[in-house]
Amino acid sequence: MERGVSVLSTRNADLPRKTQVGSITKSSYNGNGKDDQSVFKQGMLVFVHHDVDIWTEGTVSGIEGENILVTLPSGKEQWVKHKDIALRNECDYGSTEDLTLLTPLTCASVFQCLKKRYQQDVFYTRAGVTLVAINPFKDVPSLYKKEVIDRYHQLHGQRKVLSPHVFAIAQEAYSHMRQQVGRMNQSVIVSGESGSGKTVTAKHLMKYLTSISNSNAGDTGTRIESRILDSNPILEAFGNASTSRNSNSSRFGKYIQLQFQRNGQILGASIQTYLLEKTRVVHQSENERNFHIFYQMLNGGNDVEKEEWLGRKDSLFKMITNHGACTEDQQSWRQTREAMGDIGITAQQQDSIFKVLGAILHLGNLVFDGDGDQGCYVDTDDQGENS
C-alpha cells in the first residue's frame, strides 16, 4: 500500500514552498502521547502488527506484564508486545473521508482506513487540507470524465456533497486565485515516492484547470489548452523511463506554472525542469530501460526514418537494454509525434531532433559500460529485436 501513496496540498505562494505532513507514531498511546501498556484492558479492540497484512484486527483476551494476548478474527490467539498493537474502535473505516476524524489517530487506523477505501475502489482521502491519493494501478476513466469535472466546478464549497478528489484540490486553488484581492498565486504540491502516481495526478490537475478556465474562451482558449496538455507526452518521452518499480517513472523534477488572466481564463504556461537523470542514457540498472523516446523511435519509426536517423542496417546500440517489439511504445510514439506537431515543432525540426538522438546512440557505444555485445540490434528492414 505504501508504494502507491502520494499527497497533494495547496497554499498561497509566489514560489513553491516545502510542506510537511505530520507523522503518526506507530506505538499506541493513552491520549497524552506517551506509551502506556496499562491502557490496554481485556476485551479491548486493537490492531495487531502483522508481517504480511501490516496491521490486522484483534481483541485483547489477556495481559501478562508487557505481553498481551490477542484473539485474531480467525480465532487464533497470539502473544504480542504492547508496542506492536494499537487501539481501534468500531467505526466504519471505509466511509471515513478525512483521516483527521479517526479516533484514536494512529498509524494503524490510518492504514486501515486507506486499505478499506482502496478495496472499495475509493482512491482519494482527505487528511485535513491535504489529499492522500492511492495509485489504483489501473485505468479508472469514469473518475475523470467531463461530467465529473463539471460537478466539482459547479458544487465547489459543498464539502459534504463532494467526495475527496484531485479535482477538489484543483478547484480550491483556482477559486482562491479568483477570489483573493490583488495578485495571489497558488501552488499545488504533489509529493510521493516512485510509482505513487505523481505524473498522472499532475496531468489530471492540468486537465481540470485548463478545462474550467477555458469554458468561455473560444477557439483561442482551446488552442492554449491543447498546447499545454500536449506538453505531457513530450516530457514523458524524453524524461521518463521504465524502472523496476514503475513503468513510467519521471527521471526529473518539474515545476509547472499555469498563467491566467484577471477574468480567470487560461493565458499560457511555463514548465521548468531540473535534476534530469542524465546518467541513465549510458547506464541502466538490471531490468530497467533507457528513456522512452529511444524505444519509441526503434519500435514506432518506419524503415525509411530509422535508416535516416540511425544509420546503417544491423546497427548495434549497447545503450538500449530490455528492448523488444512493444505495442505501447508504438502508440506512445504516435502520441509524441502528434504532440510535437501540435505545439509547433515542424517536421524538419523533429527530423533534426531524432538525428541527434540517433547520433547519441552511436556515441553511446564508445562510452557504454555494459558487458560484451549486450544491447539492441536495429535492422531497418524490421521493427528491431533483442540481440
Side-chain angles (χ1 to χ4, degrees):
M1 293 288 289
E2 293 178 353
R3 281 186 56 186
V5 178
S6 58
V7 295
L8 293 78
S9 61
T10 63
R11 64 188 306 164
N12 300 335
D14 289 330
L15 293 173
R17 306 175 188 173
K18 292 182 178 179
T19 183
Q20 182 174 356
V21 180
S23 60
I24 305 171
T25 60
K26 173 184 174 182
S27 60
S28 57
Y29 58 90
N30 61 5
N32 59 12
K34 298 180 180 179
D35 293 335
D36 186 0
Q37 60 264 36
S38 64
V39 72
F40 298 107
K41 307 294 182 184
Q42 189 164 342
M44 275 189 166
L45 304 178
V46 294
F47 290 112
V48 183
H49 191 265
H50 192 274
D51 292 337
V52 177
D53 298 330
I54 313 300
W55 292 98
T56 187
E57 297 178 352
T59 304
V60 176
S61 54
I63 301 175
E64 290 185 5
E66 292 188 357
N67 297 317
I68 300 175
L69 183 63
V70 177
T71 302
L72 303 178
S74 62
K76 177 183 176 181
E77 292 185 331
Q78 177 180 342
W79 285 99
V80 296
K81 299 290 186 182
H82 75 276
K83 64 181 181 65
D84 291 326
I85 64 177
L87 294 175
R88 70 177 175 93
N89 58 33
E90 294 182 334
C91 73
D92 184 0
Y93 288 97
S95 64
T96 302
E97 296 188 338
D98 194 329
L99 297 176
T100 61
L101 300 179
L102 294 173
T103 305
L105 182 59
T106 64
C107 182
S109 61
V110 168
F111 177 84
Q112 187 73 359
C113 179
L114 296 177
K115 178 181 178 181
K116 291 291 187 183
R117 292 174 65 79
Y118 183 83
Q119 291 172 342
Q120 299 171 10
D121 280 348
V122 180
F123 309 111
Y124 293 112
T125 307
R126 298 188 192 95
V129 297
T130 300
L131 179 71
V132 179
I134 300 181
N135 190 341
F137 295 102
K138 62 181 179 181
D139 291 329
V140 193
S142 61
L143 200 57
Y144 307 103
K145 57 186 180 181
K146 184 63 167 61
E147 292 79 3
V148 180
I149 293 178
D150 294 339
R151 174 177 171 80
Y152 276 83
H153 184 46
Q154 295 167 3
L155 299 180
H156 170 62
Q158 301 184 35
R159 193 174 177 120
K160 293 183 178 179
V161 177
L162 298 174
S163 300
H165 200 291
V166 63
F167 291 164
I169 292 288
Q171 179 62 51
E172 183 179 359
Y174 182 77
S175 297
H176 287 174
M177 178 193 70
R178 293 290 311 275
Q179 296 169 3
Q180 298 288 348
V181 178
R183 181 173 179 268
M184 187 64 68
N185 294 335
Q186 302 290 313
S187 288
V188 180
I189 302 172
V190 184
S191 176
E193 63 179 350
S194 179
S196 60
K198 300 183 297 297
T199 298
V200 174
T201 295
K203 288 194 288 188
H204 289 314
L205 283 167
M206 293 173 63
K207 175 62 179 176
Y208 182 89
L209 290 170
T210 55
S211 178
I212 64 173
S213 62
N214 183 38
S215 55
N216 298 315
D219 293 339
T220 300
T222 300
R223 287 195 298 272
I224 294 174
E225 176 186 358
S226 177
R227 287 199 166 194
I228 292 174
L229 297 180
D230 280 334
S231 66
N232 285 315
I234 299 174
L235 288 173
E236 290 184 18
F238 287 85
N240 287 23
S242 177
T243 68
S244 59
R245 302 184 66 185
N246 183 1
S247 62
N248 189 32
S249 177
S250 297
R251 310 315 297 170
F252 67 103
K254 56 181 175 287
Y255 171 50
I256 304 172
Q257 185 180 54
L258 300 181
Q259 300 153 351
F260 298 87
Q261 302 183 57
R262 292 284 183 181
N263 62 3
Q265 291 182 355
I266 190 76
L267 181 64
S270 65
I271 301 176
Q272 300 176 29
T273 61
Y274 52 92
L275 297 179
L276 177 66
E277 187 190 19
K278 299 177 182 178
T279 55
R280 179 170 290 272
V281 174
V282 293
H283 174 76
Q284 304 93 45
S285 300
E286 186 179 359
N287 297 323
E288 296 198 355
R289 302 207 312 176
N290 212 315
F291 291 105
H292 290 329
I293 188 62
F294 294 115
Y295 302 91
Q296 291 179 12
M297 288 175 58
L298 298 177
N299 284 319
N302 60 45
D303 292 345
V304 175
E305 291 173 331
K306 286 192 289 186
E307 186 169 6
E308 182 179 1
W309 300 333
L310 304 175
R312 69 184 189 279
K313 123 186 230 191
D314 292 335
S315 299
L316 170 64
F317 298 120
K318 295 184 179 181
M319 296 193 313
I320 305 302
T321 58
N322 298 308
H323 173 263
C326 178
T327 303
E328 185 175 342
D329 287 331
Q330 296 169 3
Q331 294 173 346
S332 298
W333 169 252
R334 290 191 290 270
Q335 294 174 357
T336 300
R337 294 298 300 271
E338 183 178 349
M340 294 176 77
D342 288 344
I343 68 171
I345 302 177
T346 65
Q348 184 177 1
Q349 291 171 330
Q350 293 182 42
D351 192 58
S352 298
I353 291 172
F354 298 127
K355 284 181 180 178
V356 170
L357 293 176
I360 291 174
L361 290 176
H362 284 289
L363 265 172
N365 289 342
L366 302 177
V367 296
F368 184 75
D369 59 357
D371 298 326
D373 292 331
Q374 291 182 350
C376 169
Y377 282 103
V378 177
D379 187 339
T380 55
D381 293 331
D382 193 18
Q383 289 297 311
E385 58 184 22
N386 289 329
S387 60

